[in-house]
Amino acid sequence: MTNSPHRLPTIIFYVLAVFAIFAAVIFLTDSEAEYINNAEALSCFDFSAGLALISPDAFDRHPEALYTPNDFLEGRTSAPTDEPAGGRYATYRLVLDLQGGVLYGITGLSATHAMTLWVDGVMLTQVGVPGDSYENMTAQTNFFTVYFVAGYAPTEIIIQRSGFVLAHGGRLNPLYFGEQPLITSWSILGHIRISILIGVTLMSVLLYLGIYLFFRNQKQFLWFSLMCVMIALRTLGIDFRIIATLLPQMTWQLDYLLAYLVTSAFAVAMILYIDAMFNNGANRLFKYAAIGFFAVHGIFMLLTNPAVYSQFNTPYNILMVLFISGVLANNIWRTAKSKAKWQAEYVLVIIGSLVNIVLGVTEVAIRTATPEAVANYTQAGILVFIFINTIALTIYFRRNEMELDETRKHEKQLAGENATLESLNRIKNNYLANMAHETKTPLTLISVDIQLAAALHEGDDGDAKLISEALGRAQEEILRVSRITENNLKLASMHSSGEKMTALDFSALLKSGAEVRRRLTEKNNNALVVSVPDDLPKVYGNADQLIQVLSNLIDNANRHTKYGKISIKASVCDGFLVTKVLDSGTGIPDELLPHIFVRGVSNSNSTGIGLPICKQIVEAHGGTISAQSEEGKGTVMTIKLPIYSEARERVENV
């Protein structure tokens, strides 16, 4: 990786800082609980010293039955089974020896999707209404906390649960159990943790959305803001079911659907964010296929019920991870292949993405193997991704600001230099314009007088004939000087005219420019052939200047060609309009060819200023001009001009 060695310590520091913050938020606000999955371990647990996270495996299980405390009291129950409580409904029973007179608490996410809980025959909570069929139950899932005072006899905990609304039938979630101070502390710390996480994500939304509003072309800030919105919504919906508290009228179907839609939206925003951070290096077809997959899945969920689309949760999660991994890998490969400069933010994006992907795959694997297992690694991975990429965006923004400051300083320096050059240029242009103005008029008058004298002596013999010939030669020389001053005048006017460029019909421009010079070529017994398509793209430029270039090239070709052919051809190649002026004339000597665009260089009695003017005009239009020639066979002059761009026109005319 380019320039990575000296950046490696900085990157390591940033990553360690992110994990330190993450640990402080997650682990320091989370009371430690011991996971217990059998009744024997639970019987000797000290509930005054710590919390127990009781697995469903610690209960006696009665599948396909909904027993009440009276059923157990009166012996109307079947024997418990050691097998997991299968089917769509079941009863769980746990008997504990607790310290009498002590206040205990039970908290956790209720069973999916209906649960009733009794302690010592007293119903303490009912989330939804369990039933033995879809018609007899009322579905709901929520976070609950209940307290009870233990008696001096063994405490009996009975839980009914039923689930007919999802493909997997629902499950009983592990429950936190302990004395009241520990349960209350765990609940308070959990709410603090959620408040911090939501506060951080919403702050990131406001910060980076604000940055995007100032820098509209930096889409990564927009996608990152959307990711933060999605993680805030997901956190509100999963932990403590806060969204259900804020919106008590929301149905469980909408709650369940929202969780998946938010996850899909996060995945889409993540794909677009990764691609934007790598300068849109991913394959477009693959990227849009990923986005299309999430869109189709969202529509599928909206059109079906949870019992249908929940069958595809595992394949959906696998494909989601594969698409995100594919976009990341595609960007890494393309960046490495192009040998682009690797910035620190690239490395951070890769690290954050890999952590998110690995934790997501781990959760999918655990839930696939053991559906009732406690696994919420996806949320942890998303939070790590958010924290790391907050730093990545900060580095990216800071580096851009520094580059912008350097550019401003450079522009300020150039502005001073340009002011000096413009002053010198004005002096030069004034000199050229004054010289052209002062010499052109008298030379023109002299030419007229000489023509008149030649006409007066045309009928005489002897000396009159010699005078006529001499005057003719003088006239030719005067016209040559006139051409010199004319070229100087054109050069001065080209620098100072300040004419606006416009979109030009290049086909029409070439044809009209060539037609003007046709009579001149015919006088030299040369055929002028124009092969220009009618549908050439437009060119952005000044019509007079471009016609001047074409005229100069035709005149040069005509001057060095007798009884030959001059051709003008045009085509489109690699985003440029390519024009060729070909002749069958004498050609240019090899030693002179590399210097023909230098002012004053000529292979005839011409001024040597025509081709430099052509070069200057073409380059001012963003193009290039070149020559190929072979003595005795002719010359090819090639002009390349960029195709018309509206963006350039807007910039040029500001």
Side-chain angles (χ1 to χ4, degrees):
M1 280 188 259
T2 304
N3 80 338
S4 60
H6 69 277
R7 291 180 178 270
L8 187 59
T10 303
I11 295 172
I12 293 174
F13 170 78
Y14 286 142
V15 173
L16 291 177
V18 166
F19 279 104
I21 295 172
F22 181 75
V25 173
I26 299 296
F27 298 110
L28 297 181
T29 58
D30 188 16
S31 296
E32 192 172 325
E34 182 177 344
Y35 187 74
I36 300 176
N37 59 3
N38 62 79
E40 291 76 16
L42 199 59
S43 63
C44 57
F45 189 84
D46 185 0
F47 292 104
S48 64
L51 287 175
L53 182 58
I54 305 176
S55 165
D57 294 336
F59 288 77
D60 289 334
R61 298 177 294 281
H62 301 266
E64 304 296 332
L66 293 176
Y67 295 135
T68 65
N70 286 335
D71 292 328
F72 286 98
L73 182 63
E74 297 173 6
R76 296 195 300 267
T77 64
S78 61
T81 177
D82 292 333
E83 297 297 324
R88 299 291 184 167
Y89 59 101
T91 301
Y92 299 78
R93 182 172 180 265
L94 180 64
V95 178
L96 296 173
D97 288 324
L98 301 175
Q99 185 176 352
V102 175
L103 184 61
Y104 289 89
I106 304 174
T107 188
L109 188 65
S110 67
T112 51
H113 268 95
M115 185 188 84
T116 303
L117 183 145
W118 288 271
V119 175
D120 290 336
V122 178
M123 182 190 294
L124 297 184
T125 187
Q126 187 174 63
V127 181
V129 179
D132 57 4
S133 66
Y134 179 80
E135 293 75 15
N136 294 335
M137 71 167 288
T138 302
Q140 188 178 353
T141 300
N142 210 337
F143 201 88
F144 73 94
T145 302
V146 295
Y147 297 98
F148 65 92
V149 177
Y152 293 93
T155 299
E156 180 187 56
I157 302 173
I158 297 174
I159 299 175
Q160 291 180 351
R161 75 102 183 144
S162 65
F164 291 88
V165 295
L166 298 179
H168 57 72
R171 63 180 180 271
L172 178 65
N173 295 300
L175 302 175
Y176 289 90
F177 190 95
E179 293 188 2
Q180 178 270 328
L182 296 176
I183 291 292
T184 302
S185 175
W186 183 89
S187 180
I188 292 173
L189 288 175
H191 281 86
I192 292 174
R193 179 178 70 253
I194 296 304
S195 299
I196 292 174
L197 294 177
I198 292 176
V200 169
T201 52
L202 292 180
M203 181 183 68
S204 298
V205 171
L206 296 176
L207 173 63
Y208 291 108
L209 187 59
I211 293 175
Y212 169 71
L213 293 177
F214 280 99
F215 302 97
R216 291 294 182 90
N217 60 327
Q218 303 293 331
K219 292 292 182 65
Q220 52 266 58
F221 294 111
L222 173 63
W223 305 135
F224 188 78
S225 299
L226 292 179
M227 282 195 297
C228 290
V229 171
M230 295 306 116
I231 188 58
L233 289 174
R234 195 174 189 276
T235 303
L236 285 171
I238 293 177
D239 288 348
F240 296 97
R241 284 299 194 270
I242 296 175
I243 198 167
T245 303
L246 297 174
L247 303 171
Q249 302 303 318
M250 186 171 66
T251 63
W252 72 268
Q253 293 98 328
L254 183 58
D255 183 18
Y256 193 77
L257 176 65
L258 183 63
Y260 271 90
L261 291 179
V262 164
T263 302
S264 295
F266 178 87
V268 171
M270 183 177 176
I271 287 172
L272 294 173
Y273 166 76
I274 292 174
D275 195 43
M277 286 297 285
F278 280 89
N279 300 315
N280 300 312
N283 180 276
R284 286 190 176 184
L285 181 61
F286 182 79
K287 181 173 64 175
Y288 293 141
I291 296 173
F293 162 75
F294 291 115
V296 170
H297 183 263
I299 295 172
F300 173 69
M301 289 192 296
L302 289 171
L303 297 178
T304 57
N305 60 62
V308 175
Y309 65 73
S310 61
Q311 300 178 60
F312 306 99
N313 286 351
T314 297
Y316 164 77
N317 290 328
I318 293 173
L319 286 172
M320 177 175 65
V321 171
L322 289 177
F323 275 123
I324 294 174
S325 302
V327 170
L328 178 64
N330 191 221
N331 274 294
I332 294 173
W333 179 76
R334 293 224 172 181
T335 303
K337 183 180 178 182
S338 64
K339 297 181 180 179
K341 185 177 181 181
W342 282 74
Q343 304 293 348
E345 56 267 29
Y346 289 2
V347 181
L348 290 173
V349 169
I350 293 171
I351 293 173
S353 300
L354 289 177
V355 170
N356 189 17
I357 290 168
V358 169
L359 291 179
V361 170
T362 302
E363 179 174 336
V364 170
I366 291 175
R367 289 189 180 275
T368 301
T370 312
E372 66 274 7
V374 179
N376 196 17
Y377 300 121
T378 299
Q379 186 182 21
I382 290 174
L383 292 176
V384 170
F385 179 82
I386 291 292
F387 277 120
I388 288 181
N389 282 276
T390 298
I391 296 175
L393 281 176
T394 302
I395 295 173
Y396 173 82
F397 181 72
R398 177 56 183 158
R399 182 168 54 79
N400 282 357
E401 280 293 299
M402 292 174 65
E403 291 176 356
L404 187 59
D405 288 341
E406 288 297 320
T407 302
R408 287 169 179 165
K409 291 178 183 177
H410 186 60
E411 287 177 349
K412 189 175 181 181
Q413 181 181 356
L414 287 178
E417 295 175 356
N418 286 339
T420 303
L421 291 174
E422 286 177 5
S423 177
L424 294 173
N425 198 44
R426 281 195 299 271
I427 295 173
K428 180 198 72 174
N429 291 338
N430 288 337
Y431 164 74
L432 292 174
N434 289 338
M435 184 188 72
H437 182 269
E438 294 298 325
T439 58
K440 182 175 176 58
T441 300
L443 287 173
T444 302
L445 293 176
I446 291 172
S447 176
V448 172
D449 289 339
I450 291 175
Q451 289 181 31
L452 179 60
L456 291 174
H457 290 81
E458 213 171 47
D460 298 336
D461 295 331
D463 292 340
K465 184 178 181 180
L466 294 176
I467 291 172
S468 178
E469 290 175 354
L471 290 175
R473 288 194 297 270
Q475 181 186 11
E476 184 179 342
E477 290 299 313
I478 291 171
L479 289 175
R480 190 172 70 84
V481 175
S482 179
R483 286 197 299 271
I484 293 174
T485 58
E486 180 70 19
N487 282 333
N488 283 329
L489 180 60
K490 288 179 179 179
L491 183 62
S493 120
M494 186 178 69
H495 282 289
S496 58
S497 63
E499 294 178 359
K500 293 281 186 179
M501 294 186 177
T502 57
L504 303 172
D505 184 341
F506 198 56
S507 299
L509 185 142
L510 290 177
K511 291 177 181 178
S512 62
E515 198 61 33
V516 171
R517 313 310 273 182
R518 184 176 295 280
R519 288 192 177 183
L520 180 65
T521 60
E522 289 175 352
K523 284 184 179 180
N524 230 18
N525 298 302
N526 290 320
L528 181 61
V529 179
V530 181
S531 301
V532 176
D534 294 329
D535 58 349
L536 284 177
K538 291 185 177 180
V539 69
Y540 182 64
N542 181 290
D544 291 336
Q545 291 181 4
L546 293 178
I547 288 178
Q548 181 184 348
V549 171
L550 182 63
S551 298
N552 279 348
L553 297 183
I554 294 175
D555 289 349
N556 282 351
N558 188 57
R559 191 179 304 118
H560 297 92
T561 305
K562 300 289 184 180
Y563 298 95
K565 178 181 177 182
I566 299 172
S567 301
I568 300 173
K569 299 180 179 181
S571 61
V572 178
C573 182
D574 295 333
F576 285 83
L577 287 164
V578 180
T579 305
K580 294 181 181 292
V581 179
L582 309 92
D583 66 64
S584 58
T586 58
I588 303 171
D590 292 342
E591 66 275 13
L592 192 64
L593 186 60
H595 310 290
I596 61 172
F597 294 105
V598 177
R599 185 184 177 92
V601 175
S602 173
N603 67 338
S604 65
N605 290 328
S606 63
T607 62
I609 197 174
L611 286 180
I613 288 177
C614 291
K615 183 174 186 292
Q616 208 158 4
I617 291 174
V618 170
E619 290 180 347
H621 284 71
T624 60
I625 183 171
S626 60
Q628 293 176 303
S629 184
E630 186 175 350
E631 284 190 85
K633 293 187 177 180
T635 302
V636 179
M637 304 296 295
T638 303
I639 301 170
K640 288 186 177 181
L641 293 173
I643 293 174
Y644 169 70
S645 168
E646 293 184 2
R648 182 179 176 189
E649 182 179 9
R650 288 195 295 270
V651 172
E652 294 283 345
N653 291 323
V654 171

